[in-house]
Amino acid sequence: MTNPSAGEEFAALLARVSADPAVAGAVLSGSQARQGMATHRSDYDVYLITADGGAATQERRDSRLDVVVMSLEEFRTHAMPGSGWEWNRYSFTHARVLKDRADGLIGELVSVKGTLSPEEAHQTAAASLGAFVNAAYRWLKNHRDGRATEARLDAAESIPYLLTCVFALHRRVRPYNKYLGWEMRHHPLGPLPWSHDELLPLLEAVLSHATPQAARRLFLDLEPLARAAGHGSELDAWGEDLHLLR
Protein backbone atom coordinates (compact mmCIF):
# COMPACT_ATOMS: atom_id res chain seq x y z
CA MET A 1 0.00 0.00 0.00
CA THR A 2 1.46 3.34 -1.05
CA ASN A 3 1.69 6.28 1.31
CA PRO A 4 -0.75 9.13 0.66
CA SER A 5 0.63 12.16 -1.14
CA ALA A 6 0.88 15.59 0.45
CA GLY A 7 -2.18 16.68 -1.49
CA GLU A 8 -4.18 13.70 -0.30
CA GLU A 9 -3.15 14.26 3.30
CA PHE A 10 -4.09 17.92 3.02
CA ALA A 11 -7.49 17.06 1.57
CA ALA A 12 -8.12 14.60 4.40
CA LEU A 13 -7.11 17.20 6.99
CA LEU A 14 -9.40 19.80 5.44
CA ALA A 15 -12.31 17.35 5.44
CA ARG A 16 -11.77 16.62 9.12
CA VAL A 17 -11.49 20.21 10.31
CA SER A 18 -14.36 21.40 8.12
CA ALA A 19 -16.67 19.07 10.04
CA ASP A 20 -15.15 19.79 13.47
CA PRO A 21 -17.05 22.46 15.45
CA ALA A 22 -14.05 22.86 17.75
CA VAL A 23 -12.07 24.34 14.84
CA ALA A 24 -13.14 27.95 14.27
CA GLY A 25 -10.88 28.57 11.30
CA ALA A 26 -8.28 27.11 8.98
CA VAL A 27 -5.74 29.13 6.98
CA LEU A 28 -3.39 27.93 4.23
CA SER A 29 -0.07 29.75 3.93
CA GLY A 30 3.32 29.08 2.39
CA SER A 31 4.08 28.13 -1.21
CA GLN A 32 0.81 26.25 -1.69
CA ALA A 33 -1.11 29.50 -1.13
CA ARG A 34 0.90 31.42 -3.73
CA GLN A 35 0.21 30.44 -7.32
CA GLY A 36 3.25 29.08 -9.11
CA MET A 37 5.50 28.82 -6.04
CA ALA A 38 4.81 25.23 -4.96
CA THR A 39 7.11 22.44 -6.10
CA HIS A 40 6.88 18.66 -5.67
CA ARG A 41 8.78 19.14 -2.41
CA SER A 42 6.38 21.73 -0.98
CA ASP A 43 4.38 20.82 2.09
CA TYR A 44 1.06 22.38 3.13
CA ASP A 45 1.38 25.07 5.80
CA VAL A 46 -1.90 25.19 7.71
CA TYR A 47 -2.98 27.25 10.71
CA LEU A 48 -5.87 25.77 12.67
CA ILE A 49 -7.66 28.17 15.01
CA THR A 50 -9.65 26.50 17.75
CA ALA A 51 -12.79 28.05 19.15
CA ASP A 52 -12.18 29.52 22.59
CA GLY A 53 -12.59 26.63 24.97
CA GLY A 54 -12.60 24.17 22.08
CA ALA A 55 -10.83 20.84 22.10
CA ALA A 56 -7.14 20.79 21.20
CA THR A 57 -6.23 19.70 17.69
CA GLN A 58 -2.93 17.91 17.14
CA GLU A 59 -0.07 19.81 15.58
CA ARG A 60 2.08 18.18 12.95
CA ARG A 61 5.29 18.99 11.11
CA ASP A 62 6.73 16.72 8.44
CA SER A 63 7.47 16.71 4.72
CA ARG A 64 3.76 16.79 3.81
CA LEU A 65 1.93 18.83 6.43
CA ASP A 66 3.03 21.67 8.73
CA VAL A 67 0.04 22.21 11.01
CA VAL A 68 0.12 24.95 13.65
CA VAL A 69 -2.70 25.05 16.18
CA MET A 70 -3.64 28.05 18.31
CA SER A 71 -6.66 29.33 20.11
CA LEU A 72 -8.69 32.20 18.73
CA GLU A 73 -7.36 34.37 21.55
CA GLU A 74 -3.78 33.59 20.51
CA PHE A 75 -4.53 34.07 16.83
CA ARG A 76 -5.93 37.56 17.39
CA THR A 77 -2.48 38.91 18.25
CA HIS A 78 -0.18 36.41 16.51
CA ALA A 79 2.35 38.14 14.19
CA MET A 80 1.13 41.57 15.21
CA PRO A 81 3.36 44.24 16.82
CA GLY A 82 4.28 43.32 20.38
CA SER A 83 3.42 39.64 19.94
CA GLY A 84 7.00 38.42 19.62
CA TRP A 85 5.99 36.80 16.33
CA GLU A 86 6.27 39.86 14.11
CA TRP A 87 8.69 37.99 11.84
CA ASN A 88 5.81 35.68 10.83
CA ARG A 89 3.52 38.40 9.54
CA TYR A 90 4.11 37.86 5.82
CA SER A 91 2.77 34.32 6.26
CA PHE A 92 -0.69 35.89 6.20
CA THR A 93 -0.15 38.02 3.11
CA HIS A 94 -1.93 36.16 0.27
CA ALA A 95 -2.90 33.40 2.73
CA ARG A 96 -6.11 31.50 1.91
CA VAL A 97 -8.87 31.16 4.47
CA LEU A 98 -10.15 27.58 4.21
CA LYS A 99 -12.66 27.73 7.06
CA ASP A 100 -14.15 30.74 8.80
CA ARG A 101 -16.71 31.58 11.42
CA ALA A 102 -20.14 32.74 10.39
CA ASP A 103 -19.15 36.34 11.18
CA GLY A 104 -16.03 36.19 9.00
CA LEU A 105 -13.69 36.98 11.89
CA ILE A 106 -10.86 34.68 10.76
CA GLY A 107 -10.77 36.31 7.34
CA GLU A 108 -10.75 39.76 8.91
CA LEU A 109 -7.83 38.85 11.17
CA VAL A 110 -5.88 37.37 8.25
CA SER A 111 -6.45 40.56 6.26
CA VAL A 112 -5.23 42.73 9.15
CA LYS A 113 -2.11 40.64 9.56
CA GLY A 114 -1.35 40.55 5.84
CA THR A 115 -1.30 44.32 5.29
CA LEU A 116 -0.15 47.42 7.17
CA SER A 117 -2.56 50.00 8.54
CA PRO A 118 -1.71 53.62 7.60
CA GLU A 119 -0.25 54.22 11.07
CA GLU A 120 1.79 51.00 11.01
CA ALA A 121 3.03 51.76 7.52
CA HIS A 122 4.16 55.25 8.52
CA GLN A 123 5.96 54.04 11.65
CA THR A 124 7.58 51.09 9.90
CA ALA A 125 8.73 53.19 6.97
CA ALA A 126 10.22 55.84 9.26
CA ALA A 127 12.15 53.32 11.37
CA SER A 128 13.45 51.30 8.44
CA LEU A 129 14.34 54.44 6.48
CA GLY A 130 16.61 55.61 9.27
CA ALA A 131 18.16 52.16 9.58
CA PHE A 132 18.79 51.99 5.83
CA VAL A 133 20.41 55.42 5.73
CA ASN A 134 22.63 54.44 8.66
CA ALA A 135 23.73 51.19 7.00
CA ALA A 136 24.32 52.85 3.63
CA TYR A 137 26.30 55.66 5.26
CA ARG A 138 28.53 53.15 7.07
CA TRP A 139 28.87 51.19 3.82
CA LEU A 140 30.16 54.28 2.02
CA LYS A 141 32.50 55.31 4.84
CA ASN A 142 34.03 51.84 5.01
CA HIS A 143 34.51 51.78 1.26
CA ARG A 144 36.08 55.25 1.35
CA ASP A 145 38.49 54.15 4.08
CA GLY A 146 39.55 50.97 2.29
CA ARG A 147 37.60 48.49 4.43
CA ALA A 148 36.17 46.35 1.64
CA THR A 149 34.86 43.46 3.76
CA GLU A 150 33.22 45.81 6.24
CA ALA A 151 31.66 47.76 3.38
CA ARG A 152 30.15 44.59 1.93
CA LEU A 153 28.76 43.59 5.32
CA ASP A 154 27.07 46.98 5.68
CA ALA A 155 25.80 46.74 2.11
CA ALA A 156 24.20 43.39 2.88
CA GLU A 157 22.68 44.75 6.10
CA SER A 158 21.17 47.71 4.26
CA ILE A 159 18.99 45.58 1.97
CA PRO A 160 16.45 44.29 4.55
CA TYR A 161 15.93 47.84 5.79
CA LEU A 162 15.51 49.12 2.23
CA LEU A 163 12.94 46.47 1.34
CA THR A 164 11.03 46.93 4.60
CA CYS A 165 10.87 50.66 3.93
CA VAL A 166 9.82 50.41 0.29
CA PHE A 167 7.07 47.90 1.02
CA ALA A 168 5.86 49.91 4.01
CA LEU A 169 5.65 53.02 1.83
CA HIS A 170 3.16 50.99 -0.21
CA ARG A 171 1.38 49.79 3.00
CA ARG A 172 2.65 46.29 2.44
CA VAL A 173 4.47 43.74 4.58
CA ARG A 174 7.97 42.98 3.37
CA PRO A 175 7.98 39.48 1.86
CA TYR A 176 10.35 36.74 2.88
CA ASN A 177 13.35 36.59 0.55
CA LYS A 178 11.99 33.41 -1.03
CA TYR A 179 8.90 35.28 -2.22
CA LEU A 180 10.47 38.63 -3.16
CA GLY A 181 10.66 37.93 -6.88
CA TRP A 182 7.20 36.31 -6.91
CA GLU A 183 5.71 39.24 -5.00
CA MET A 184 7.17 41.84 -7.32
CA ARG A 185 6.11 39.99 -10.45
CA HIS A 186 2.56 39.26 -9.33
CA HIS A 187 1.97 42.37 -7.20
CA PRO A 188 4.30 45.06 -8.58
CA LEU A 189 5.40 47.93 -6.39
CA GLY A 190 5.20 50.27 -9.33
CA PRO A 191 7.21 51.47 -12.32
CA LEU A 192 10.97 51.92 -12.47
CA PRO A 193 13.06 51.89 -10.34
CA TRP A 194 10.93 49.56 -8.21
CA SER A 195 10.00 47.03 -10.87
CA HIS A 196 11.09 43.40 -10.61
CA ASP A 197 13.38 43.66 -13.64
CA GLU A 198 15.14 46.71 -12.25
CA LEU A 199 15.39 46.20 -8.49
CA LEU A 200 16.41 42.54 -8.20
CA PRO A 201 19.48 42.84 -10.45
CA LEU A 202 20.50 45.94 -8.50
CA LEU A 203 20.21 44.07 -5.19
CA GLU A 204 22.27 41.22 -6.62
CA ALA A 205 24.94 43.73 -7.67
CA VAL A 206 24.94 45.21 -4.16
CA LEU A 207 25.58 41.78 -2.63
CA SER A 208 28.24 40.94 -5.20
CA HIS A 209 30.22 44.16 -5.41
CA ALA A 210 28.92 46.75 -2.87
CA THR A 211 30.12 49.67 -4.97
CA PRO A 212 29.55 53.26 -3.82
CA GLN A 213 27.54 53.84 -7.00
CA ALA A 214 25.05 51.17 -5.91
CA ALA A 215 24.62 52.74 -2.46
CA ARG A 216 23.96 56.15 -3.96
CA ARG A 217 21.62 54.71 -6.56
CA LEU A 218 19.51 53.06 -3.86
CA PHE A 219 19.40 56.20 -1.75
CA LEU A 220 18.58 58.53 -4.64
CA ASP A 221 15.81 56.19 -5.78
CA LEU A 222 14.35 55.96 -2.29
CA GLU A 223 14.64 59.62 -1.25
CA PRO A 224 11.84 61.12 -3.40
CA LEU A 225 9.48 58.27 -2.52
CA ALA A 226 10.16 58.75 1.20
CA ARG A 227 9.78 62.53 1.03
CA ALA A 228 6.51 62.23 -0.89
CA ALA A 229 5.20 60.01 1.93
CA GLY A 230 6.06 62.62 4.57
CA HIS A 231 9.42 61.34 5.78
CA GLY A 232 11.50 64.34 4.84
CA SER A 233 12.27 65.20 8.47
CA GLU A 234 13.82 61.77 9.04
CA LEU A 235 16.15 62.37 6.11
CA ASP A 236 16.94 65.99 6.94
CA ALA A 237 17.98 64.96 10.45
CA TRP A 238 21.10 63.47 8.88
CA GLY A 239 22.27 66.95 7.89
CA GLU A 240 25.52 67.14 5.95
CA ASP A 241 25.98 63.37 6.15
CA LEU A 242 23.54 63.12 3.25
CA HIS A 243 26.23 64.59 0.99
CA LEU A 244 28.12 61.29 1.12
CA LEU A 245 24.96 59.42 0.14
CA ARG A 246 24.39 61.69 -2.81
Side-chain angles (χ1 to χ4, degrees):
M1 183 176 179
T2 60
N3 291 326
S5 67
E8 290 169 335
E9 295 233 25
F10 170 69
L13 172 70
L14 186 56
R16 289 196 303 273
V17 302
S18 296
D20 188 348
V23 178
V27 179
L28 176 66
S29 184
S31 298
Q32 298 287 1
R34 295 168 173 86
Q35 185 176 11
M37 281 299 296
T39 71
H40 69 281
R41 296 186 181 91
S42 297
D43 62 1
Y44 285 79
D45 297 282
V46 182
Y47 291 86
L48 298 182
I49 301 95
T50 61
D52 290 334
T57 303
Q58 188 173 6
E59 293 194 342
R60 174 175 168 180
R61 185 166 192 177
D62 54 40
S63 61
R64 292 175 296 240
L65 291 178
D66 187 350
V67 181
V68 176
V69 180
M70 62 183 70
S71 69
L72 178 57
E73 182 180 2
E74 293 173 309
F75 189 68
R76 288 179 186 274
T77 59
H78 179 78
M80 298 300 289
S83 67
W85 292 84
E86 293 87 345
W87 56 268
N88 199 37
R89 190 162 183 174
Y90 182 74
S91 292
F92 301 97
T93 303
H94 313 299
R96 291 170 49 197
V97 178
L98 306 173
K99 181 180 180 180
D100 204 343
R101 302 196 329 173
D103 61 2
L105 177 60
I106 304 302
E108 291 177 10
L109 293 174
V110 168
S111 178
V112 168
K113 297 174 194 297
T115 57
L116 299 178
S117 69
E119 181 179 351
E120 286 179 314
H122 188 84
Q123 293 174 348
T124 300
S128 53
L129 175 64
F132 166 72
V133 172
N134 180 63
Y137 181 67
R138 292 178 181 277
W139 165 8
L140 287 168
K141 286 201 302 179
N142 279 324
H143 189 279
R144 178 195 64 193
D145 296 339
R147 300 186 181 96
T149 299
E150 292 84 345
R152 293 184 71 170
L153 288 171
D154 283 323
E157 285 190 11
S158 75
I159 291 178
Y161 298 126
L162 172 77
L163 293 175
T164 299
C165 182
V166 171
F167 276 89
L169 289 171
H170 291 81
R171 285 194 56 190
R172 290 163 61 178
V173 179
R174 175 196 159 199
Y176 303 140
N177 294 330
K178 173 181 178 178
Y179 298 112
L180 177 61
W182 180 91
E183 182 81 27
M184 296 187 70
R185 286 191 300 270
H186 289 80
H187 306 277
L189 287 170
L192 298 176
W194 306 114
S195 70
H196 167 269
D197 292 338
E198 183 84 2
L199 182 57
L200 265 65
L202 179 56
L203 296 182
E204 186 173 350
V206 168
L207 293 172
S208 300
H209 307 296
T211 64
Q213 293 83 356
R216 295 183 177 113
R217 165 75 184 280
L218 291 174
F219 176 76
L220 292 174
D221 285 344
L222 180 60
E223 182 178 15
L225 185 64
R227 290 190 181 277
H231 296 287
S233 60
E234 285 91 348
L235 292 170
D236 294 336
W238 285 83
E240 293 185 357
D241 289 341
L242 293 183
H243 295 320
L244 186 62
L245 288 162
R246 293 178 175 138

